[in-house]
Amino acid sequence: LAMCMLLSASAFAQTGSIRGTVLDTENQPVSFSSVFLKGTNTGTTTNEKGAFNLERVNAGEHRLIVSAIGFEQKVIAVTVNAGETQTVQVSLSPSQQGLNEVVISASRTPETIDQVPSSITVLSRKAIEEDLMVSTNIIDILSNKVPGLAPSTGTSSNWGQTLRGRAMLVMIDGVPQSTPLRNGAVDMRALDPDAIEQVEVIKGATAIYGNGAAGGLINYITRTPRQQKPLSARTSLGMTGSLVDADNSIGARVSQMFYGKTGKFDYVLSGAYEQTGEWKDAEGDVLPPDYGLGETDSYNGFVKLGYDFTPFNRVQLTYNYYSSEQKTNYVPQYGNYQNRQKSTAVLGETLGVPQGVRSNHNLHLRFSGEQAFLSSRYEADAYFQSVDNVFFWSPNFEFGGQSMISSVKKGARGLLTTPYKISASVEGDVTYGLDVLNDITSQPLVDGRIWVPEMNMLNVAPFVQLKTAIAEDLIFKGGFRAEKVNIEVEDYTTLRTVNPTTGEIDNSGFAVKGGELGYNAYLFNAGLRYNKFELFTPYASFSQGFSVADIGVMLRSARVDDISKISTEAIVINNYEAGFVSKFRKLRFEGVGFVSTSELGASGQYKDGVFVVMRTPEKIFGFEATADVALLDNLSFGATYSYVEGKMDVNQNDSFDDAEDVYLGGERISAPKYTAYLRYALFENKLGFNLQYTGIGGRDRFEINEKGTYNFYQGPVEPYQLVNLSASYKMSKNTTFNIGVENLFNEDYFPARSQWFTSPTLYTKGKGAAFNVSMVVEL
């Protein structure tokens, strides 16, 4: 790095600078757009106000290339004189397709997708609003849009909804929401969709944010001010209900947002409230309350305050509060998987407290800026996150009870991105920093009994990431991260549990000695991308991810008297990926194949009524394909296909094809998924229609057991298809009316999880046809 900086010093003679702003056709700032000089690798991104600054630009004629999500790329000529600053203003026109999306999550610093040698899915605000016309459940929205993400469960739980067959890390602005120490898989519903500006999904194991991203990560980027005037407002009112049987199914939703900028200060203030009615299946029967979203009250409060000391140095404070609790008069009436009898809901006395997200608090302070020493970009974060997720009442505990995953995270991060230039054709940057995270997670019962004791984790991780561009078109990225993890567990006694079949005590409770668990991991990544030809842009990468095992589930099922005797080793995942992007006129196609391996496994199975984690080696592989085409200016079409498969090396001989080796269950490997959409606009985009299709294929890998049924997680998945339809009409400049129909043809189906889990507790049908009507007013 020092050599690169010394070599670059001579290149700064006879230079000037370019400053400017990027606006849309309504003279509103385009945040985080990409700005770079054609024929070089000199570039940057605009800040929240659309402003940018390029320092030390060689004197002479240049062509400035500007691109952003949802806008057509623009190229303008700029003349730079030595010692002078050239000021420009760029206006971008809307595009049917965003082909040069700017992302933050892949490298922790803003960059365009064509700088990343791996597969990424980005959901813009426009795409989110399009799906909100049909469903406000963010789990459904992501499942319909993200290749490689397992089918939606149709509930508040995303358990079994893996990303490329492994657990994912869910974040809000880079702040982790997941609880890997005791993964309850209810982390995707962490905030209201109206508080989201963009969703970035990085697929494949990654260590860029640390523990938990074995299959990748989902990062919710929160809203930013969209206009420079002091006060703007957005009001949304909506109503939902069943089209099969409307009785007691009607729900309502209201969302209010204020935002603006005055001087150096900007802000976003928003609140959302939604109350759902009864959710019903295709036959009109009320869906069971376990993990249900019917009769649920959801609240979200969001505040973002920003202050710009200079145009390129900023402090920002964000707070988000979210809760979503089910308040119902129904109790589950469990069905029978073997007889294909669905579980339903019947009126009765509910036991315990409302299930769902009792509270999720996120407080995040960020300092960021550019033009620090050696022209570096810097970012420093401090955050606090606290969440309590309450599960449904269960008779499996002695006297019954409800468990609750409680987690408190405190963290600090700092990074610098320093540019370097070796020659006119070789330049790049180095990103380096340190992450510190303290995560205290436990799973008590609501009444105070301890099922999983507190696990106190301290994670310290320095990292460095190098990016080099050769002759503009060949991008190399490589990096290293060192993970040091300590987890403290106090002495505890296992909780008394009951056999639901016999009523006898399965676990009478015994003392387990706590202690300290320590892990060290050294993780690498490297990738190449070649951007010379739009018709064929190949990329390939190797990346490692690190994930502490679900220690909580091991502790609560302990059958030994000391945690040192439990197999709690952390998992290191090796992810290999190769793909290509092809662009021809208005067509974009991307295909990618991947292989993921780990020497330790993370799958579980029930043995004698106890959940046991299998630690045998695993191999997961698959491929994804995505296509988008603008057939006309007002007509576009797209489709995706995802396939994933995986096996365990049971005899541990480095082969996965022996007779002893077995396939991974449905809780890890999803059935094939294919999606498509058709978008059509009329009357100068005032009236728009969107037809959306999601198909789930079949997967049948296991034999019937001696009881004449399938073991947990091994049930075959039969195909099903879902169609959604939405329409939007712009009644005036400020007012839009929307209507959406979910499950348009009232498909009568069991979601994939209900099929492979085989348990009556989750043998629930999917939601039948439902409507969503809303009106949005923006001032």
Side-chain angles (χ1 to χ4, degrees), residues 565-622:
K565 299 177 183 179
I566 303 174
S567 178
T568 59
E569 293 94 337
I571 303 168
V572 174
I573 300 94
N574 298 314
N575 186 75
Y576 307 86
E577 180 176 321
F580 70 94
V581 177
S582 181
K583 301 176 187 177
F584 179 71
R585 295 181 180 176
K586 296 293 186 177
L587 170 68
R588 181 183 188 273
F589 179 83
E590 182 171 5
V592 58
F594 60 88
V595 176
S596 170
T597 63
S598 61
E599 294 184 2
L600 291 173
S603 287
Q605 66 178 27
Y606 283 94
K607 288 186 176 181
D608 301 323
V610 177
F611 185 84
V612 179
V613 177
M614 309 296 291
R615 306 315 307 271
T616 52
E618 297 176 348
K619 179 181 179 181
I620 298 173
F621 55 91

Side-chain angles (χ1 to χ4, degrees), residues 511-531:
V512 180
K513 182 180 179 181
E516 186 173 299
L517 304 172
Y519 312 100
N520 292 300
Y522 305 98
L523 309 171
F524 300 87
N525 70 280
L528 282 171
R529 185 181 183 107
Y530 189 58
N531 293 325

Side-chain angles (χ1 to χ4, degrees), residues 80-139:
V80 177
N81 298 319
E84 297 181 3
T85 298
Q86 183 71 27
T87 302
V88 299
Q89 180 173 298
V90 184
S91 179
L92 297 183
S93 301
S95 170
Q96 291 292 328
Q97 296 174 290
L99 304 182
N100 294 288
E101 294 95 337
V102 176
V103 297
I104 301 171
S105 307
S107 300
R108 309 249 308 245
T109 188
E111 60 185 345
T112 57
I113 282 183
D114 58 12
Q115 299 278 303
V116 182
S118 57
S119 179
I120 299 175
T121 296
V122 178
L123 272 65
S124 66
R125 180 62 204 171
K126 182 178 179 180
I128 296 169
E129 289 180 347
E130 190 175 73
D131 276 25
L132 276 173
M133 298 179 198
V134 175
S135 172
T136 59
N137 185 8
I138 190 64
I139 298 178

